[in-house]
Amino acid sequence: MAYATLISLKQTIEHFLNSSQIPILAPYPKNIEFAYEEVKSLQELFTSEDNNSKRVNALDRQIIEATFRLEDVLESHVANHFLPQSETLHGDEISYLEEVNEEIDFFTETVKKIKEQFSNSSLPEEDDAVVLSTTDHVGGKKSTIFGLDNEMSKLKNLLVTDKSPSLLIPIVGMAGIGKTTLAKEVYGDPYILSHFERHIFVSIGPECAWRKILLSVLAQINFGVDETHTESNVELAVHMYNSLWDWRYLLVLDDIWDYRVWVIFRRYLPNNGNGSRIMLTTRLEQVARYANERDGGFVLKKRFLNEEESWHLLREKVLVEECLLPLELEKVGRKIAKKCEGLPLAIIAVAKHLSRAEKTLQYWKKVAKEVHSIVGADKELSKVLSLSYYYLPQCLKPCFVYMGVFPHDYEIRTSKLVNLWCAEGFLEPNPPQTLEDFAMECLDELVWSNVFQVREHTSFGGIKTCNIYFVFWHICVREAKKDKFFHIVNSYGNQGIENQRRLCIHKNILFGIKDVHKSMASTLNARSLLCTGPQHQYPVPICLDFHLMRVLDALTIRFYGFPIEIVKLVQLRYLAFTYNGKLLGSISKLSNLLDCPSIPKHHIFQSSSVISAQGDLGYARIEACASHGKRIPNLKKLEFQAELAPDAVETLCCLNHLANSHGLKSIKCVIVNPKPSSHQVVFPALAGFSIFPSTLRKLTLSGLGLPWKKMSIIASIRNLEVLKLRCYAFRGPMWQNCQKGFMNLRFLLIEDMDLEFWKSNSPFLLDLQHLTISHCYKLKEIPSQFKEIPTLRMIELVDCDPSLVAYTERILKQQKSRGNDLLQLSVKSSKDAKKLKS
């Protein structure tokens, strides 16, 4: 985690040196610049030694301590500058400058010592996981294999009967999911053994030793080599090539971590078209994708066990001999197995725990409540899983560990997670890449590394929500504790809370405990406070005395009065809280430090009757918005929610300035509990111009009850790509399509409308890819022009009239006749769902 602290310190110094608003420490500018160069040198050391993390990680603690100390004193100077003199952290500026100088000296001396230790330390010994042996790799007692039948059949077919010229079959999946087990089962299958003339099984590992791998392969094909063989690696590789040329061979490369290993192997493996095959297992999809791109073969994504398979595996591992379990014990056992989320290694860890105790209902119920803790405490499981963290690139490690700030089953929106990562200051993109794009790239890599799980996709296949696989959560907490990355506040003790960088509240009720409030107040240098518990309906005495805070995520905390302490948090980059009153104008002070491009803009989530803040707001959520909202020129995403009185006629005057919000990309406008027959929402009149900015890409409307003729306003948004209309967003039986508009719309959702007739007199929606119509019971047809949209890929109908289904099926056939074989029709209902494949 030292690399993350170096990135943060580097950005702090850059901001310090470049900002015209902060007075430079005039007596010591060269010292600061020298410290900056030292930070960059350490950063390069981490980057260059990424594949030799043992040496780097051994020095983490020293780097973190020195970095924390220097960053604290520099940011305290910033806080001093912007706070009133009576509230500054240091009254004597001269003594403060001396303190800065002392910390710079301490940091540079620490860097010097670290470099000396690094240069004098020896390289770690080579990994000895690859054993020179001709032992049968599938020997020993065999147990029943659950959930592998289909995958084994598919692999055996590819290995034996498939005529594809592809040499390689990659198997990919997360740690502990059974990739090696599957490979060994196929490798040792009698039919497979008889089909291939040479069989080689090599375990690679994250720190593979190329020479030992070659010797192992040659030993298994009876080449007659040993560890004292004197030939060079290239000569050994040539021997391997020549020795395999005349044979149909099966080679298993188990647990590959680097695509370059496959590149080297591929060069020295003969492909003489005789049906030889190579199976490759990896937990990294990047490796499988690269190998697949080069060889154009099949990639098997190892699946999780289903609930029935999970229970059978747990039962087999717990029971030494076959016996019948009492029904009540089986019910609890199935619950235990389900909580392991289909991961075989986790099931085995819990089974091992159960097998050591008496099989009583009371004890099994206790285990059912503690499954996640038992899995987290299992040392063997932790050893396997930890490799997925330790061998991540340095830039991904803080992103991985950061997921521990949320509860283990927490599902988070990607947009919020990316904003948090950007605000925390531990990411550094490569120009001209933006910080947000780099954060999304990091998220993608963690998904491909099979440590993050995609929970929900966006309309176009992106990641909408995600979480970390539960088995990795305890690793996050352990690593965070070691490096003071974050501390989960609890109701007892809170030992080690001092000097923590981030405080996490998983249960918001803890704010009401006096001792918790006191312990939090003792951590003045915390940079983040994250409240991820359930929504708290009543005010609690939250501690906000953190002058160096960057991130305050307290959206689940409701304030009845505006928390004045917030305007003193001059370092804030991300702000989220719930408040029903008017924002103070002084909140605009929070934008004073956000002019430097290297520091991300702050983000405000807030619930307010009026927006009155000035400055750059990255994301705003507005509830019960009245008619005096002021201009917010840099808004990116806006969510508006209101509950109208009966028979109300509401004008959305708060949207008057949206057309001037040139950074706005997404709007969600929701009227709670709409009653279409008794209320009307009116868009403000803007002399014929759209109230929406041309930059808008996504628009969601719900409950507004607008007349369909107002659709022309939306159709004129030239960059709009996603339009979602829910719950009487528009009202009335007829939608007559406008002749122009919707130039770039790709996704359209129409849900819960009283629409009866949808007509068009000309081609429209020419770039549409996905149409969903849901719970529109009166609609019988869609415009015939849908048969002319060449980009259309999916039409989804949910609980719709059979006449609409039949009409859409005709559209599908007409599209097919025009050559669009990619279009699919999905028809679903609350009781049944079926997919009509193309």
Side-chain angles (χ1 to χ4, degrees), residues 420-683:
L420 285 169
W421 283 353
C422 291
E424 291 284 3
F426 50 62
L427 296 180
E428 182 180 48
N430 296 315
Q433 189 178 34
T434 67
L435 188 60
E436 289 80 4
D437 287 343
F438 180 66
M440 277 303 305
E441 184 179 294
C442 291
L443 179 61
D444 287 337
E445 288 191 33
L446 288 165
V447 171
W448 295 337
S449 298
N450 282 297
V451 294
F452 277 22
Q453 177 183 22
V454 178
R455 298 292 296 272
E456 187 179 0
H457 287 92
T458 64
S459 306
F460 298 110
I463 304 173
K464 186 174 184 178
T465 63
C466 65
N467 67 342
I468 193 167
Y469 285 109
F470 85 99
V471 289
F472 290 112
W473 186 85
H474 292 277
I475 297 175
C476 296
V477 175
R478 183 189 67 205
E479 294 299 320
K481 182 179 180 181
K482 184 173 63 178
D483 295 333
K484 293 188 177 296
F485 191 75
F486 66 76
H487 177 84
I488 300 174
V489 180
N490 51 54
S491 58
Y492 50 88
N494 286 304
Q495 294 181 354
I497 195 173
E498 301 82 6
N499 300 318
Q500 289 285 346
R501 244 32 187 185
R502 296 165 185 86
L503 301 179
C504 317
I505 309 292
H506 292 173
K507 297 180 180 179
N508 294 339
I509 192 65
L510 293 177
F511 283 120
I513 301 175
K514 185 177 180 180
D515 289 343
V516 171
H517 193 279
K518 184 178 179 181
S519 62
M520 289 177 60
S522 67
T523 315
L524 296 178
N525 290 338
R527 297 307 198 274
S528 303
L529 177 60
L530 301 116
C531 309
T532 56
Q535 191 78 30
H536 206 282
Q537 298 299 321
Y538 303 101
V540 290
I542 182 173
C543 178
L544 295 175
D545 298 328
F546 306 101
H547 292 281
L548 305 182
M549 182 174 287
R550 299 174 180 176
V551 172
L552 174 58
D553 181 13
L555 193 64
T556 57
I557 306 298
R558 181 174 296 278
F559 293 92
Y560 286 173
F562 182 81
I564 191 63
E565 299 92 340
I566 285 178
V567 300
K568 301 176 185 178
L569 305 179
V570 294
Q571 302 277 26
L572 272 180
R573 305 172 185 177
Y574 182 106
L575 173 61
F577 67 99
T578 300
Y579 168 61
N580 289 334
K582 183 177 180 179
L583 291 178
L584 299 183
S586 56
I587 200 171
S588 62
K589 295 178 181 178
L590 298 180
S591 64
N592 287 342
L593 302 182
L594 301 175
D595 296 329
C596 179
S598 65
I599 296 181
K601 296 176 181 179
H602 69 281
H603 307 266
I604 293 187
F605 295 65
Q606 44 95 32
S607 303
S608 175
S609 59
V610 178
I611 289 287
S612 59
Q614 303 296 318
D616 294 339
L617 303 181
Y619 175 63
R621 182 182 179 191
I622 312 167
E623 294 178 0
C625 188
S627 60
H628 302 291
K630 294 187 178 181
R631 178 178 174 180
I632 312 172
N634 295 300
L635 196 65
K636 292 182 181 179
K637 184 174 182 179
L638 171 67
E639 291 187 11
F640 170 88
Q641 183 171 305
E643 185 170 358
L644 302 182
D647 303 319
V649 177
E650 181 74 12
T651 301
L652 302 183
C653 296
C654 61
L655 304 180
N656 276 334
H657 296 289
L658 288 183
N660 298 316
S661 300
H662 299 300
L664 192 60
K665 295 182 179 180
S666 176
I667 295 176
K668 184 176 183 179
C669 189
V670 177
I671 303 300
V672 179
N673 300 324
K675 297 179 180 178
S677 61
S678 61
H679 84 258
Q680 183 180 5
V681 177
V682 181
F683 280 158

Side-chain angles (χ1 to χ4, degrees), residues 745-781:
L745 197 68
R746 296 192 292 164
F747 183 97
L748 175 61
L749 167 69
I750 305 172
E751 182 177 86
D752 288 316
M753 303 286 181
D754 59 352
L755 184 64
E756 298 180 37
F757 307 100
W758 183 6
K759 298 184 179 297
S760 177
N761 297 323
S762 60
F764 71 113
L765 298 172
L766 294 181
D767 287 330
L768 193 70
Q769 297 178 10
H770 191 125
L771 170 68
T772 296
I773 301 174
S774 178
H775 303 103
C776 295
Y777 304 107
K778 298 180 180 180
L779 187 64
K780 303 292 193 298
E781 296 180 0

